[in-house]
Amino acid sequence: LVNVNPLPNVDAGTSTSICTGDSVQLNATGASTYVWTPSTNLSDPNIPDPFASPTAVTIYTVIGTDINGCNNSDSVTISIHSLPTASVSNDTIICNGDTAQLIASGGTNYIWSPADSLSSTLISNPLAWPSASTTYQVIISDANSCLDTAQVTIGVSSLPNVSAGNDVDICFGDTIQLNASGAATY
């Protein structure tokens, strides 16, 4: 009498894409023990659910063995999306009370912080009117939900303390010397 055991129904999971530098958890089912190949960039090639951190498109194959010693295999492909490149306008200095426009590019979605003194935190080009020098950070994402960040600093200069002198009364036809102070140009 010869018993023929069926092969295990090994499933390596669904192929997916990740952003450069990210990791994804693989998830094999259908067997008792597992061995993943290639083992490069895997947290542990001998468990059903290792974390994979590939640097290029990689096809991971898992061999699953059941309690009868029968084995079967399946594969999953992990694709890599490159990161977007965030760019922002140059650092600038404004006078207290003035407004500067921040400009970011490189993504499809934008999130600025801190939100204080911004016309919007969810557009590429918000207006900023900080009362003190502030560094704004923007997180951009692309169509693949990959992220990058950039920063821009808006310096705030105090207004000059300008004085035009004291009020003076003069007679019609007389002249008086006006004397302003507190600034560089008048």
Side-chain angles (χ1 to χ4, degrees):
L1 178 66
V2 176
N3 286 325
V4 177
N5 295 313
L7 294 177
N9 187 18
V10 175
D11 183 4
T14 305
S15 294
T16 190
S17 298
I18 62 173
C19 300
T20 300
D22 287 349
S23 63
V24 63
Q25 189 168 20
L26 305 178
N27 189 18
T29 58
S32 298
T33 62
Y34 302 90
V35 177
W36 289 92
T37 57
S39 61
T40 306
N41 298 318
L42 288 180
S43 60
D44 185 342
N46 299 310
I47 61 174
D49 54 357
F51 283 93
S53 304
T55 57
V57 174
T58 304
I59 299 172
Y60 290 101
T61 300
V62 63
I63 298 173
T65 304
D66 67 11
I67 58 173
N68 298 315
C70 299
N71 60 52
N72 203 351
S73 65
D74 192 26
S75 297
V76 63
T77 302
I78 307 300
S79 300
I80 306 295
H81 294 296
S82 59
L83 297 177
T85 301
S87 61
V88 293
S89 49
N90 293 330
D91 294 346
T92 189
I93 297 175
I94 62 172
C95 294
N96 194 1
D98 286 350
T99 300
Q101 186 160 37
L102 307 178
I103 299 174
S105 61
T108 55
N109 296 303
Y110 301 86
I111 300 175
W112 290 91
S113 64
D116 296 342
S117 304
L118 284 180
S119 61
S120 175
T121 59
L122 302 176
I123 61 176
S124 64
N125 57 345
L127 296 175
W129 55 89
S131 58
S133 295
T134 303
T135 298
Y136 293 97
Q137 180 180 31
V138 63
I139 301 171
I140 68 163
S141 61
D142 63 12
N144 299 312
S145 297
C146 297
L147 306 175
D148 194 22
T149 63
Q151 294 180 337
V152 59
T153 299
I154 304 297
V156 178
S157 293
S158 299
L159 296 177
N161 188 13
V162 176
S163 172
N166 295 328
D167 293 344
V168 175
D169 291 330
I170 62 170
C171 294
F172 183 76
D174 288 347
T175 61
I176 187 166
Q177 178 74 43
L178 300 177
N179 188 15
S181 62
T185 60
Y186 303 90

